[in-house]
Amino acid sequence: MIRVVGTAGHVDHGKSTLVEALTGTHPDRLREEREREMTIDLGFAWMELPDGLEVGFVDVPGHRDFIDNMLAGVGGFDAAMMVVAADEGVMPQTREHLAILDLLRIPKLVLVLTKCDLVEDPAWIDLVEADVRALLAGTSFAAAGSVRVSAATGIGLDDLKAELAKVLAEAPARVDRGRPRLPIDRAFTMTGFGTVVTGTLLDGKLTEGDDVMVMPGALRGRVRGLQTHRRKVEVAFPGSRVAVNVTGIEVQQVQRGDVLCAPGAYRGTRRIDARVEVLGDAAVGLRHDQSLKLHLGSADVLARVRLLMTDEIKPGGDGWVQLVLESPVAVADGDRFVLRRPAPPATIGGGTVVDGRPQRRHRRRDAAVVRLLERKLGGSPEDRIGQELFSAGPLTVAELARKLEEPAEVLSRRVETLVSEGAVRAIGEGPARIYIHPDWLSGVAESAREVLLVYHRDHPQRSGMPREDFRRKLGLETRGSEAAFGALEADGVIVVGGPRLRLAGFSPTLSREQHEAAEALAQRFAASPFSPPSIREATDAIGLEAWTLLVEQGTYVPVAEDVAFAAPVYARLVEEVAASLEAGESVTVATVRDRYGTSRKYALGFLEHLDRIGISVRVGDERRRGPTALAAR
């Protein structure tokens, strides 16, 4: 087993020197860091504890200007060393780093009082420790052990190793969920190898030869080689610091904050539903629509904070939010994050990702949304099914199984129980059976009413909104939209009529002027039934909207680009020509023209229409009986 321990603490309190004293490796890798004697970016070192446990150290910068770099490395810690210089005591970044460790729920912490050789009076060190203990008392680390050391003289280093062995033995084991992901904190090239990315491996194993993706950019590659603690390995396990040599991806395509993962296991998102807490000593609370910097894994991205149930969360408070991100990130439910104010920079709070893939922008003060998020945070299998259906919309059992990563047989029984209890609706049977959450459908119904009311107001002569336009307007995926339409029609919300949809109770109407123009047009069609006005003349007379409505209602039947007949005349033509074809008569353009006293334009348009619908088949200049001729009679 391999564990990861990180440093935390104020600038110049001896974090890097302590890591070097423990491991023999100075973690500062940049020349500027060595010259300034100040850690700027993440540093790494390795050692083996006396009990044989391998430990990877991540050394973070302590200066306030480099908090973003610090946050890029802290998420994968099994434990942290809170480093406080005995000659200085508690300082600003002592407080901020401790708050960050607590917000991220780092499992274990060791308080390390460094530079003890510089303090002559032990009572002073006691006072410093008491001050730090007062800070720890308000966090999850109140019972953390402490060690007093001097990296310069070596005093206390053995005690520190023993304390690390103790807390790491108590730290929870990393879970292998079979979905490996590596938040990337470094990307570089090595001569002869190509692109190498590093990070702390989460949620699954990586093996040489694995196909991988870098998200959120969906770059595809393959694992060429793996190293842990500078040793080549064939398999990297969850919780270990890993360097991955990736083929098929160029280094300039990768940046800190990207995630290397198994193909299809994760996707990018610009929305996150979360439970947040605001630090008790934060200078300000969290306001609705506030822009903050989200730190999640090794990524940082600007996010607009939408408070779901209030206008402000005051310091020390908590609540539900939907984060709208400036650029996509790859995330998993349950991930912890930190929120910081960009200017002046300060940590405001943090929280837990409850839904990393909400399908829509939530309405504010919607109790149903919060109720489902609370259930999901609670975590029963039934709650997870409900939340997934609420977030994703209509799904089959197979789709649910893939999203929730559970066996389809088990999920089928659970979701059918929810159907019998009325908590979930079902449409259809067999493998294609679709499941819908009632609250999701209720939200869609409300949106449908709003969209169609506007459409009917703007287009009172149209029989309904085109189905595809309606689907896009509501943001529905094609796969689930038909099930949603069926449910909305069953509930009496909409009426589905061929390619169009309308609100239940709506009937298209013509204005008085349009009605009068339509009656006059009907008289013109009746006066010359087989050579009626052209479609262009008809639309000029009554308008395109009114003409389209009359065609949809079956008053007129277009047969060619500019040819239409009144419905009774069209029915007569079809019946009589079909009868002639059935009798074996020769039917030509001239035959129809002469029989009905019309022109070639109308006869040709009508016969080509019969060809298209299968009543006739053209052979040379003649038409013969087609496959649907009998059905036409």
Side-chain angles (χ1 to χ4, degrees):
M1 181 184 296
I2 300 172
R3 294 293 204 170
V4 178
V5 175
T7 63
H10 196 74
V11 63
D12 201 31
H13 274 212
K15 297 184 295 298
S16 301
T17 304
L18 176 63
V19 171
E20 182 178 22
L22 286 169
T23 67
T25 300
H26 199 292
D28 288 347
R29 55 188 173 82
L30 304 177
R31 185 174 68 178
E32 184 182 1
E33 293 177 309
R34 301 280 186 139
E35 291 173 350
R36 296 173 62 179
E37 295 185 349
M38 181 177 70
T39 300
I40 295 172
D41 205 350
L42 302 175
F44 309 99
W46 301 268
M47 71 171 296
E48 185 176 297
L49 292 175
D51 63 357
L53 181 67
E54 289 188 78
V55 178
F57 287 93
V58 180
D59 185 39
V60 305
H63 196 284
R64 65 181 182 180
D65 292 345
F66 305 115
I67 289 286
D68 288 357
N69 291 343
M70 177 265 184
L71 280 158
V74 71
F77 293 177
D78 293 300
M81 297 188 298
M82 188 71 230
V83 179
V84 180
D87 60 338
E88 288 194 1
V90 173
M91 298 293 282
Q93 264 55 65
T94 309
R95 298 176 183 276
E96 187 165 19
H97 281 206
L98 180 61
I100 288 169
L101 295 175
D102 197 32
L103 287 169
L104 294 176
R105 300 294 189 264
I106 302 304
K108 293 290 180 178
L109 182 134
V110 177
L111 170 58
V112 185
L113 298 172
T114 58
K115 303 187 179 183
C116 290
D117 57 308
L118 302 181
V119 179
E120 295 181 0
D121 186 358
W124 174 260
I125 302 179
D126 292 340
L127 289 173
V128 170
E129 182 168 352
D131 285 345
V132 183
R133 286 284 174 202
L135 285 180
L136 296 177
T139 72
S140 58
F141 308 123
S146 63
V147 182
R148 301 180 181 189
V149 305
S150 167
T153 66
I155 294 174
L157 292 181
D158 288 341
D159 293 338
L160 177 54
K161 293 175 184 178
E163 184 66 21
L164 287 173
K166 174 187 171 186
V167 299
L168 291 174
E170 297 170 351
R174 294 285 183 165
V175 177
D176 185 349
R177 297 185 176 90
R179 300 181 302 163
R181 58 178 173 136
L182 185 94
I184 296 170
D185 51 42
R186 288 183 67 203
F188 54 93
T189 57
M190 290 185 64
T191 304
F193 292 92
T195 301
V196 177
V197 299
T198 70
T200 301
L201 182 59
L202 309 174
D203 295 348
K205 298 186 288 290
L206 276 179
T207 305
E208 278 192 10
D210 282 352
D211 291 324
V212 291
M213 294 185 75
V214 171
M215 299 296 295
L219 306 172
R220 291 187 172 270
R222 178 168 293 183
V223 177
R224 179 181 181 182
L226 297 165
Q227 280 193 7
T228 296
H229 299 179
R230 296 185 179 174
R231 294 197 310 271
K232 180 178 173 59
V233 295
E234 293 183 358
V235 181
F237 294 92
S240 57
R241 286 287 311 173
V242 184
V244 186
N245 180 202
V246 187
T247 62
I249 298 175
E250 300 298 324
V251 71
Q252 61 267 25
Q253 296 177 288
V254 184
Q255 61 185 351
R256 174 177 286 178
D258 289 345
V259 174
L260 183 138
C261 61
Y266 301 90
R267 64 179 178 84
T269 182
R270 288 179 181 267
R271 277 195 296 260
I272 293 172
D273 291 344
R275 183 74 178 177
V276 300
E277 53 189 279
V278 179
L279 294 175
D281 60 355
V284 295
L286 200 58
R287 302 186 311 277
H288 177 65
D289 255 357
Q290 185 176 7
S291 287
L292 295 175
K293 187 175 282 190
L294 168 74
H295 295 268
L296 189 146
S298 58
D300 66 86
V301 58
L302 284 176
R304 184 164 58 87
V305 182
R306 299 188 65 251
L307 302 185
L308 295 184
M309 295 302 287
T310 184
D311 294 323
E312 181 182 8
I313 302 175
K314 296 185 181 299
D318 56 20
W320 290 101
V321 302
Q322 186 172 71
L323 303 174
V324 182
L325 312 184
E326 188 176 75
S327 56
V329 297
V331 62
D333 294 353
D335 282 354
R336 297 287 302 182
F337 61 85
V338 170
L339 293 171
R340 300 193 80 237
R341 185 176 60 192
T347 300
I348 301 298
T352 304
V353 175
V354 178
D355 187 353
R357 49 182 183 276
Q359 298 297 305
R360 59 192 178 93
R361 181 178 182 270
H362 298 316
R363 296 185 300 275
R364 296 188 67 211
R365 295 181 170 84
D366 188 334
V369 170
V370 170
R371 194 160 54 244
L372 285 166
L373 289 173
E374 286 174 343
R375 289 175 185 167
K376 183 165 187 179
L377 189 62
S380 77
E382 289 72 21
D383 292 339
R384 291 184 67 216
I385 291 172
Q387 177 62 28
E388 193 62 51
L389 290 173
F390 181 81
S391 299
L395 296 172
T396 64
V397 163
E399 290 165 336
L400 263 175
R402 283 195 298 271
K403 286 177 174 292
L404 298 178
E405 298 174 349
E406 292 189 28
E409 317 81 66
V410 175
L411 270 176
S412 180
R413 291 193 295 271
R414 286 178 180 159
V415 74
E416 286 297 337
T417 299
L418 292 173
V419 170
S420 67
E421 294 172 352
V424 169
R425 289 182 63 171
I427 297 176
E429 299 296 336
R433 186 169 169 85
I434 294 283
Y435 298 93
I436 301 177
H437 196 286
D439 287 335
W440 179 89
L441 188 63
S442 176
V444 172
E446 183 176 336
S447 298
R449 291 187 185 96
E450 294 171 357
V451 166
L452 289 174
L453 278 172
V454 172
Y455 188 86
H456 293 331
R457 181 198 66 199
D458 295 343
H459 306 286
Q461 291 85 34
R462 296 184 187 176
S463 61
M465 189 174 188
R467 182 189 298 247
E468 189 63 20
D469 291 350
F470 180 72
R471 183 189 68 77
R472 282 198 300 267
K473 199 78 172 177
L474 265 64
L476 297 176
E477 295 183 8
T478 304
R479 173 196 49 73
S481 60
E482 293 306 314
F485 296 163
L488 291 176
E489 187 168 35
D491 291 347
V493 177
I494 65 173
V495 174
V496 181
R500 293 182 178 269
L501 307 98
R502 68 179 187 273
L503 274 177
F506 169 79
S507 295
T509 56
L510 298 177
S511 66
R512 187 179 69 179
E513 293 80 4
Q514 288 173 321
H515 184 71
E516 291 173 352
E519 287 186 340
L521 181 66
Q523 292 173 4
R524 292 172 62 187
F525 268 78
S528 183
F530 302 111
S531 299
S534 67
I535 292 176
R536 186 179 297 106
E537 291 172 328
T539 56
D540 287 344
I542 65 174
L544 180 60
E545 295 271 317
W547 172 256
T548 302
L549 174 62
L550 293 175
V551 169
E552 289 178 347
Q553 291 178 336
T555 305
Y556 300 102
V557 182
V559 297
E561 182 178 351
D562 202 32
V563 176
F565 295 100
V569 174
Y570 171 80
R572 174 186 165 186
L573 286 169
V574 170
E575 183 176 4
E576 291 178 357
V577 172
S580 297
L581 293 168
E582 185 64 25
E585 298 177 12
S586 172
V587 175
T588 64
V589 172
T591 302
V592 173
R593 181 194 63 198
D594 296 343
R595 182 185 298 181
Y596 297 103
T598 185
S599 69
R600 176 178 174 81
K601 167 187 171 182
Y602 290 94
L604 177 62
F606 176 67
L607 287 179
E608 288 180 343
H609 170 73
L610 294 188
D611 294 342
R612 287 193 298 273
I613 63 176
I615 290 176
S616 62
V617 175
R618 180 176 177 176
V619 180
D621 291 334
E622 296 185 354
R623 259 69 180 186
R624 296 180 182 175
R625 176 180 176 275
T628 62
L630 284 174
R633 294 188 61 192

